[in-house]
Amino acid sequence: MKTIKKITCIALVLLIAMTAVFAGGSSESSAKKTYKVGICQFVQHVALDSATQGFMDALKEDLGDSVTFDNQNASGDMSTVTTIVNSLVSNKVDLILANATPPLQVAAAATADIPILGTSVTDYETALDLKLTNGATGINISGASDLAPLDKQAQMIVELFPNVKNVGLIYCSAEPNSVYQIDQMEAYLKQMGIKSTRYAFTDSNDVASVTEAACKTSDVLYIPTDNTAASCTEAIRNVIEPAKVPAVVGEEGICKGCGVATLTISYYDLGYTTGKMAVEILKNGADVSKMPIQYAANPIKKYNTELCSILGVKVPSDYTAI
């Protein structure tokens, strides 16, 4: 009897020990499935807001409650971008989303260890001053590009305004990806035999005056996917509407505010694509340095019905009303 009791006690002790081990393992496993993602959005406007939402939705769809977000907006201030990114790095988040080029550049300088994904970034080689290899950066950064075909945007200008002679190129000179788009657009217009002139503003304070100067010498304006312009569409429209100078623009949010037409992507879909990349990194251990930059699919021709009516712009039937 004593022997049986002794064996029973030993078995009970072993069972308790094994239970503790498995409980500890379960706890450790659970900890590994909890992820903290930091988001630095450069400024608040429709396109970037949509990209952030798409990104978060993709992660929550796959990871559910196991992912939490530290979502912060820099309101277009570079010192705030630096503060936000440094706080995310200090808090050792598992991944950083840099929504727009300035946060991407600051994040790249702030950490070489934490995976960084960009979204709403036009050209990664320009933004990061590097060359892609097989579509990848080779460092702790990847992401999705919001670049719609610029050659087709140039063709759109001619399609809508066949008699155009002078195009004013309005952009923020402080945004490298805006400069990249303007370089490309200038080259495409030159190939078409159309004169173009650059009108650059440095921040929101001189948007109206620069737009006014452009309207005086231009038949049509072109505005790329530019964060400063996107946050100042009302100021731009207040100039171009009375001047009767239409603007073809780089994305839907700007078009809704001050443009007549655009060849645009879905920024929600762009953010969603970026979110799926984040899932691959966090859940499946993908190497961010080897992940090719993703590009938006199926850009759509859209137009602003109200502004087209006011400015007397007629659009072909294959354009979709915003």
Side-chain angles (χ1 to χ4, degrees), residues 93-129:
V93 295
D94 297 297
L95 182 141
I96 294 173
L97 174 72
N99 191 350
T101 301
L104 181 73
Q105 294 173 320
V106 173
T111 177
D113 302 315
I114 299 174
I116 300 167
L117 289 177
T119 199
S120 313
V121 175
T122 303
D123 184 69
Y124 282 77
E125 291 188 335
T126 299
L128 299 172
D129 192 24

Side-chain angles (χ1 to χ4, degrees), residues 63-77:
L63 301 177
D65 294 336
S66 64
V67 62
T68 59
F69 300 98
D70 183 354
N71 183 10
Q72 300 187 55
N73 194 304
S75 300
D77 184 80

